DNA sequence: TTTTAACCGAGACGGTACGTCACGTCTTGTG
DNA sequence: CACAAGACGTGACGTACCGTCTCGGTTAAAA
């Protein structure tokens, strides 16, 4: 988790404790609405209504919309358990991971990331808090693909390519922002002209 | 240009013609305000006031804020005349172009691109219209850097690397969205571990 | 007529003369729209459209909406040629004229007069100009009814009652403004308890 | 009261209850502004500002400007405690009440009543709700003046004249609408030629 | 057990930007 | 010049959210 709760565990004295289930209901509703209608059209009021929760219950936990969204996105990524299968070759492993990534970006991630970036820019602290999980997932996938390729003998044991999954994600996002299609041709280009060359230095 | 005017050349006869100078005044004001205060804090009313224009004159030309911003960003990019100098070597040429790009992204582009992406996603047609100029600028720089390197003999005349400037821009944007710093270390990493390997296949 | 034309017959020098037919088209459209949608919802733009006329052609003749409406109402009243029939007795003459008046008020006049009154109050000059025709019509009816009653011997030749038709119109308008019904009972009351007593002093 | 609150006593449970003091603050501001600047120039925003209230707080209670004004006028009339003094004779009592009425009409009532009439006609229910208080005030004054005259022996104990104060108000309003002056001569005429004859049948 | 304080859903509050619409004026081209 | 068309600056309209606040009621730990 990340920004949530502002005061993670303080309030030393009495009173009814917060109901943890609300937290999840709110985040779930936020994720659903982000995917449905996008960042701008998602309102705190709609999140509250969908979660069956009062607005104050949201503002008690997050200082504003941007922070709520940050947590919602983090939650969303945490939910996906990114474990690329062994498809038999480096090339096909890359193809699989790239296809998967593109699918996700086209689904929701793209718009969310961009909408979120607005929040990031308006409050720089956010950004620093929110990338933890995602990065580690990417790094795990990176290491896994690489070690398989080494075991297969496709690349030398000493190979140490850069963060090629970041490169893939960045290029995909960039094309999205520019309104270009994320199609099969792009996936091909990405694997053949960018990723494989970077790994096979 | 792009979205502007809704009906680029419609009602052929009758009535006072639109005053083209308003168009520019509005876009200029929009660009200035975007850079000053950001997407959210930029209001249509403030754009109108700064441009010395009525709100209706804006809404007559653009259906909403998102579309106006889309055009404003396009205009902004059109204004920049991207001509990378010859710094003497491929490596330093890349360093120069990367530094320049990072600077621009940190300045305004980043937030704008992201804010824009929201608009893009809510109206898919926008995206398709707005990348023309920017892409061609990038392609010119790409070709220029490459031909210089070939003339210097740094790379073979037959080299045909992928769109490495897109890769650089994408990775930078990606880090921005994730709240990571776009610092000198990143620029180094980008040039040494990504761009040069991609070119020197 | 009344306010119309601002400069009734001036502009001594050349140029295309005003097209008098426009005047009537505008007034007709204004009357129709007033009756259809009321004062507030009647817009200059809709009058212009219905009349097939440019807005400037209206503003060239009348300084504003209020004045146009003033003329339109006057025109409307001028159109009705109020000649009460001889029904055989003073009482039935009064009944006839009262019924007629109520009908007219319920139809359009009521709302118009009230809407118009707003204009009157915002520009006091208007009022002074616009009552001419209507008053003279009322006075003609007043005199006619009275002379018939005298000829029939219902009232003395020397009788000189006050402007009872004004009283009738005023009371009807007042009830309208107060949201009370203008029904048969009211007409009865008006004739029996107000008008006849005022005449038969 | 009248239109106010749309649903006088609806949502029985939940939520912060409406603050009744806002209601009065809004109506007071509306009355003041109506008197100051008139119906057209009175804007909802100015009412809100003067009352120290958000626009939404007004629109939560009234569906639009017309209905707010309707209530404001009703309130205004409710505030005036109409108790005509005993001036010693029927004639002077009538003069007093007529002068008072004219003064009020010239002040604000006239324009308000007319502006209101527009609302009345666009929503017939309004009218039926809003005349209660005013009528009863008029009736009280009517009865008072009459009983005094009877005590003085000016008119027979059995006299039962029609609603002469309605007649007076109606005629005054009618003249106002027609742009005729409500001056001393009119007051004279009203008392001598209309009211006294009606009473002294 | 009673108190107490923070929790909860609901929704009113003061603001503010939105996008629409009409005003009355100005600017075209065509008679 | 008048005219039809319609763009212009202006400013009010009514709507929708923002983030805060208040209400009656609930819930657990502290007294």
């Amino acid at each position: 988790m990340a920004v949530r709760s502002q005061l993670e565990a303080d309030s030393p004295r009495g009173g009814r404790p917060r109901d943890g289930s609300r937290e999840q209901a709110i985040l779930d509703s936020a994720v659903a609405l982000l995917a449905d209608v996008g960042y701008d059209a998602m309102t705190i009021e709609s999140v509250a209504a969908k979660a069956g929760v009062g607005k104050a219950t949201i503002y008690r936990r997050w200082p504003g919309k941007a922070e709520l969204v940050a947590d919602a996105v983090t939650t969303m990524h945490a939910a996906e358990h990114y474990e690329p299968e062994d498809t038999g070759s480096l090339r096909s492993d890359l193809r699989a991971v790239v296809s998967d990534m593109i699918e996700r970006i086209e689904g929701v991630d793209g718009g969310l990331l961009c909408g979120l970036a607005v929040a990031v820019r308006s409050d720089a602290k956010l950004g620093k808090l929110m990338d933890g999980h995602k990065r580690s997932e990417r790094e795990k996938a990176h290491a896994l693909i690489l070690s398989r390729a080494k075991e297969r003998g496709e690349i030398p044991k000493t190979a140490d390519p850069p963060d090629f999954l970041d490169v893939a994600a960045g290029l995909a996002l960039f094309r999205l922002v520019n309104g270009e299609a994320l199609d099969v041709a792009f996936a091909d280009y990405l694997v053949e002209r960018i990723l494989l060359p970077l790994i096979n230095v």
Side-chain angles (χ1 to χ4, degrees), chain A residues 1-12:
Chain A
M1 284 305 153
V3 188
R4 190 192 314 148
S5 288
Q6 294 176 118
L7 306 166
E8 196 69 47
D10 49 327
S11 59

Side-chain angles (χ1 to χ4, degrees), chain A residues 2-4 39 62-71 74 116-132:
Chain A
V3 188
R4 190 192 314 148
Y39 180 84
W62 292 273
K65 181 175 173 176
E67 291 84 357
L68 168 60
V69 171
D71 263 15
T74 301
L116 182 51
V118 176
V120 167
R121 290 188 62 81
S122 66
D123 183 352
K125 291 163 296 187
L126 286 186
K128 294 188 172 57
L129 294 166
M130 61 171 267
D131 64 321

